[in-house]
Amino acid sequence: MRVAIIGAGVIGLSTALCIHEQYHGLVPSLEMEVYADRYTPHTTSDGAAGLWQPYLSDHGNLQETLWNKETFDYLLGHLGSAAAKEMGLFLISGYNLFTQPVPDPSWKNIALGFRNLTPKELELFPGYSYGWFNTALMLECRSYLPWLTNRLTQRGVKFFHKKVESFQEVSVDGVDVVINCTGVRAGELQPDPELQPGRGQVIKVLAPWVKHFIITHDIKSGIYNSPYVIPGSEFTVLGGIYQHGNWNEENSAQDHKTIWENCCRLLPALQEAKIVQEWSGLRPARPRVRLERETLRHGHFQAEVIHNYGHGGFGITIHWGCAMAAARLFGSILQEKKLASPPQPRL
Amino acid sequence: MAAPKVAVVGAGVVGLSTALCIVETCPSCSVTVLSDQFSPNTTSDVAAGMLIPHTYPGTPIHVQQQWFKETFTYLFAISNSAEASEAGIHLVSGWQVFKNTPKEELPFWSDVVLGFRPMSKAELQKFPQHQFGQAFTTLKCDCPPYLLWLEKRLKATGVQICTRKVADLWELHSEYNVVVNCAGIGAQQLVGDEELFPVRGQVLKVHAPWVKNFIRDGDGLTYIYPGIHRVTLGGTREKENWSLSPDPGTTKDIFDRCCSLEPSLRGAQDIKVKVGLRPSRQSVRLEREVLSQGGVKLPVVHNYGHGAGGFSVHRGTAKEAARLVGECIAALQGSSSRAKL
């Protein structure tokens, strides 16, 4: 049984690992391959700061809230392990700021220690009159993706540096199941008008005195169009750009100015921070994540495809829940092919 | 008195902040800081500089509360300004965890720090050996940056900073009108205070930049305090131990205790070991004294004995010391004008 994963961002690699962990024992003939034209550190995931935090509202999409929770719990369980540092995983506390009261988010009981900000705390952030404090997790992809790659390599998974032009190309080659984790460019394999780039730009600086994330929200501008500051293990990420429909991966001087001025207004000490890097990327935005099976037939060939893309600005936040859901879909494919009995629940 | 000459002995956090307060309240004063040690070689440089007060058994609680509040408010404003990184002041959130629920669940400073509340069950799961905890956000003064920033501000106001080992406060009587004693543990020799004793603290300063939260065991012995560039791991509280040499057995013990609170510290790099002697006393000695020999008087203001709580109350005690200096000067001016009559 040959399985090909297309895409080597956080979604592709974690889905590969999840499926391999669960099914390699059940299907000894399982051969897994990863195809991607971009690997770490050049994927969309690498540009993200890595903060676990879902959007403010799940729009009633309880499925996604559950996947977010599964991801948080999974990562929390790894915090005390020897692997945490190598994974780029650590706890971090911080602030979400608003100009008016807002309803509590779907994730208030998933994150740790969620509470409203006190008046004294709000004094730190002139212009903001309401906010939350909570402890969440950071998962830095420039560490996590190599860690996933190592785990996969140890398991005998093969990696190919190749741009896949069509599903046919892969299935004609003899692949039985294709996992489509192509992120923002999924439309090139199969048109999807619901998938749009949500362009972001970030400035990475050296500001090691910043120990909290600070995410501001402007309900009118929409998610990520308001300044945010997210301290990583080495650099602090300054951002606040979300441009729907913009495919440009070049850094914009205007966006740089917006980010820099807004973040320095938020945290005056940032004026002393040294700029180390600037980066732009395209969030794979979609009204909901596309996580479903599809059977593609062409001529003699049939391929089972599992789509797992469209995670917008919350890919890291939701990745493991989606990987497990994709693994369940894989299990159903195996059942149909009578290759395995129903998978046992994971302990 | 045209320009009262004030000497401040000691250049740790207490000496430098006291000198600054004197200059702020008495702009006509000519202030000189005298010390044999400066940053990075003061006791203050060893400390993590966390604003979590120590309780002095001999000082009324409302006074300690006032000192802490003043210090917190002062540093809060700096942390929120463009100078924050230069001054080394930053906010840090974290947890104080207890193996057994403490009798006093609300410390006197709980309404001064930010967001103080009990930890949730989910938060406590990270600390399986601890039954109870408190979560809050406080400030940290990183040294050397904070001391260097104080020195810079002092020099900008014209304060002289001189390297000099003062063996006896009286030796200053001919050069200065008022002497302020901020000698910390040095006060034991300098003024022969037998109530002052060292509480030795050994700490590790390590590179572990992924640690963003502080963790402190309520027993005060084990703590993890993330600073700008290094995380301070502690510690020990050894009464009457004067040794400034790092002890390797202690180093391993501190590291193990901290790793059991925060396992990821096993990956910490570049471990540096430091030792400091907390200048401990039942209460901070913050009072006036007049030394006299052969009819000559020297007003002294003592401001030492802050033990484990120096950073937490430094600004509050500095302001009080400056006020006492003002009283000394007024008394001198009063007596000199009487002499003119």
Side-chain angles (χ1 to χ4, degrees):
Chain A
M1 140 116 344
R2 276 180 68 198
V3 179
I5 285 97
I6 314 178
V10 68
I11 301 297
L13 297 185
S14 60
T15 305
L17 185 63
C18 193
I19 291 175
H20 204 278
E21 279 179 345
Q22 287 190 33
Y23 292 103
H24 184 253
L26 295 169
V27 186
S29 68
L30 185 67
E31 276 176 35
M32 189 178 270
E33 299 143 28
V34 175
Y35 294 88
D37 60 354
R38 294 197 206 180
Y39 282 88
T40 181
H42 305 293
T43 70
T44 306
S45 309
D46 289 287
L51 177 67
W52 182 98
Q53 184 168 300
Y55 287 179
L56 297 187
S57 168
D58 61 9
H59 301 294
N61 192 333
L62 296 177
Q63 178 81 276
E64 288 184 6
T65 299
L66 187 61
W67 290 337
N68 291 330
K69 177 172 163 50
E70 288 174 340
T71 306
F72 192 86
D73 291 343
Y74 168 75
L75 293 173
L76 200 62
H78 274 78
L79 255 192
S81 77
K85 184 190 171 193
E86 211 194 321
M87 286 166 77
L89 175 66
F90 53 93
L91 279 174
I92 187 168
S93 303
Y95 306 92
N96 276 278
L97 303 173
F98 305 88
T99 54
Q100 64 195 62
V102 294
D104 289 344
S106 62
W107 45 270
K108 71 180 265 205
N109 293 319
I110 305 173
L112 298 174
F114 182 94
R115 62 170 173 83
N116 286 341
L117 292 181
T118 64
K120 191 84 195 286
E121 288 173 308
L122 285 165
E123 277 177 40
L124 285 165
F125 310 110
Y128 296 96
S129 57
Y130 188 83
W132 308 325
F133 181 93
N134 66 273
T135 300
L137 293 162
M138 283 283 285
L139 184 63
E140 295 182 310
C141 278
R142 65 194 185 116
S143 297
Y144 189 50
L145 297 196
W147 182 84
L148 287 168
T149 307
N150 287 340
R151 304 280 80 67
L152 289 166
T153 305
Q154 277 170 6
R155 289 171 159 273
V157 173
K158 305 263 182 297
F159 290 84
F160 298 92
H161 199 111
K162 181 181 168 151
K163 184 176 162 116
V164 170
E165 304 286 357
S166 68
F167 291 121
Q168 286 88 301
E169 176 193 325
V170 170
S171 71
V172 153
D173 194 42
V175 167
D176 303 291
V177 183
V178 181
I179 325 276
N180 176 18
C181 304
T182 50
V184 76
R185 287 177 289 146
E188 290 178 28
L189 286 177
Q190 187 186 90
D192 182 350
E194 290 191 289
L195 178 69
Q196 290 288 317
R199 182 182 174 280
Q201 185 166 320
V202 294
I203 306 173
K204 292 191 182 163
V205 303
L206 283 175
W209 63 88
V210 178
K211 304 293 182 191
H212 297 92
F213 61 81
I214 304 168
I215 322 256
T216 67
H217 300 269
D218 181 342
I219 306 298
K220 287 190 295 320
S221 328
I223 191 84
Y224 299 130
N225 254 332
S226 194
Y228 61 80
V229 177
I230 302 176
S233 61
E234 205 181 336
F235 308 116
T236 297
V237 176
L238 312 183
I241 301 289
Y242 189 107
Q243 293 152 351
H244 202 78
N246 186 347
W247 282 97
N248 195 343
E249 285 182 83
E250 300 285 307
N251 292 321
S252 141
Q254 175 59 51
D255 290 339
H256 172 97
K257 190 162 181 286
T258 302
I259 297 166
W260 185 255
E261 285 176 4
N262 287 342
C263 288
C264 286
R265 192 176 314 120
L266 188 58
L267 271 193
L270 281 175
Q271 292 162 49
E272 306 303 316
K274 183 173 161 211
I275 295 176
V276 168
Q277 203 196 353
E278 193 119 10
W279 179 89
S280 298
L282 310 175
R283 301 175 185 87
R286 207 172 180 275
R288 52 207 308 141
V289 174
R290 187 179 184 197
L291 184 35
E292 61 189 6
R293 276 178 63 182
E294 188 179 1
T295 306
L296 292 180
R297 289 182 185 85
H298 25 266
H300 307 292
F301 300 99
Q302 177 176 306
E304 294 298 327
V305 179
I306 298 174
H307 298 287
N308 187 6
Y309 69 85
H311 305 80
F314 50 90
I316 288 160
T317 299
I318 205 172
H319 80 277
W320 193 253
C322 288
M324 295 210 288
R328 286 191 291 276
L329 292 176
F330 184 80
S332 67
I333 294 172
L334 291 182
Q335 275 185 71
E336 285 164 22
K337 289 183 190 283
K338 303 214 178 355
L339 276 174
S341 45
Q344 297 305 306
R346 292 190 75 215
L347 285 165
Chain B
M1 189 172 298
K5 294 202 288 276
V6 182
V8 175
V9 179
V13 68
V14 173
L16 296 183
S17 57
T18 301
L20 191 59
C21 280
I22 295 168
V23 152
E24 286 168 4
T25 54
C26 177
S28 63
C29 284
S30 161
V31 180
T32 306
V33 172
L34 305 170
S35 181
D36 63 346
Q37 298 292 354
F38 291 89
S39 180
N41 298 314
T42 70
T43 307
S44 305
D45 290 286
V46 180
M50 286 293 285
L51 258 67
I52 298 177
H54 166 80
T55 302
Y56 303 101
T59 304
I61 291 291
H62 75 272
V63 173
Q64 299 186 50
Q65 213 162 15
Q66 177 64 13
W67 289 342
F68 181 58
K69 191 160 184 203
E70 271 178 353
T71 307
F72 195 93
T73 304
Y74 172 70
L75 295 173
F76 186 73
I78 300 171
S79 79
N80 210 12
S81 76
E83 295 194 68
S85 67
E86 196 200 335
I89 312 287
H90 57 99
L91 282 174
V92 60
S93 298
W95 307 283
Q96 175 163 242
V97 291
F98 298 83
K99 293 199 167 98
N100 301 299
T101 306
K103 282 191 285 282
E104 183 202 61
E105 284 200 14
L106 270 189
F108 73 80
W109 41 268
S110 63
D111 62 345
V112 176
V113 298
L114 303 175
F116 185 97
R117 60 173 171 81
M119 282 167 73
S120 65
K121 270 208 178 68
E123 287 174 301
L124 275 165
Q125 278 182 355
K126 189 171 136 54
F127 306 103
Q129 291 167 352
H130 295 77
Q131 289 185 8
F132 177 80
Q134 299 152 341
F136 56 94
T137 301
T138 188
L139 291 159
K140 187 177 188 299
C141 298
D142 271 40
C143 280
Y146 185 54
L147 295 193
L148 294 177
W149 181 80
L150 285 172
E151 276 184 37
K152 187 175 164 188
R153 291 196 67 172
L154 286 169
K155 286 176 184 161
T157 63
V159 170
Q160 297 287 304
I161 300 182
C162 304
T163 306
R164 173 170 170 176
K165 176 138 180 94
V166 176
D168 187 318
L169 292 184
W170 186 254
E171 77 188 54
L172 303 171
H173 79 274
S174 56
E175 303 161 69
Y176 299 97
N177 302 115
V178 182
V179 171
V180 188
N181 173 15
C182 303
I185 194 65
Q188 222 231 29
Q189 269 227 319
L190 190 57
V191 299
D193 183 348
E194 284 168 13
E195 290 176 46
L196 181 69
F197 58 96
V199 174
R200 181 184 183 278
Q202 183 162 321
V203 294
L204 314 182
K205 306 242 179 185
V206 310
H207 183 75
W210 61 88
V211 176
K212 306 289 186 192
N213 290 299
F214 74 80
I215 304 171
R216 177 181 204 268
D217 193 308
D219 67 11
L221 278 175
T222 307
Y223 50 82
I224 297 162
Y225 294 141
I228 294 175
H229 296 293
R230 299 195 147 253
V231 182
T232 300
L233 308 184
T236 65
R237 290 182 181 233
E238 303 157 88
K239 274 179 145 176
E240 301 286 5
N241 184 340
W242 285 91
S243 169
L244 282 169
S245 306
D247 176 73
T250 302
T251 295
K252 182 178 186 313
D253 178 56
I254 293 170
F255 191 70
D256 288 342
R257 281 190 274 124
C258 287
C259 288
S260 80
L261 278 183
E262 176 54 71
S264 72
L265 283 171
R266 290 273 164 213
Q269 303 278 304
D270 192 29
I271 296 172
K272 293 186 161 53
V273 190
K274 300 222 179 249
V275 178
L277 306 176
R278 300 175 185 84
S280 307
R281 221 171 167 274
Q282 286 286 85
S283 60
V284 176
R285 189 177 181 199
L286 185 41
E287 62 187 9
R288 288 166 62 182
E289 185 186 3
V290 179
L291 303 180
S292 67
Q293 275 188 36
V296 182
K297 293 192 196 308
L298 176 64
V300 171
V301 172
H302 295 287
N303 187 10
Y304 69 87
H306 300 70
F311 278 91
S312 298
V313 298
H314 76 275
R315 177 77 182 180
T317 57
K319 282 183 81 168
E320 173 61 13
R323 197 186 64 76
L324 294 175
V325 168
E327 279 184 5
C328 292
I329 291 170
L332 283 172
Q333 286 171 327
S335 62
S336 75
S337 60
R338 276 198 294 280
K340 287 191 183 104
L341 283 168

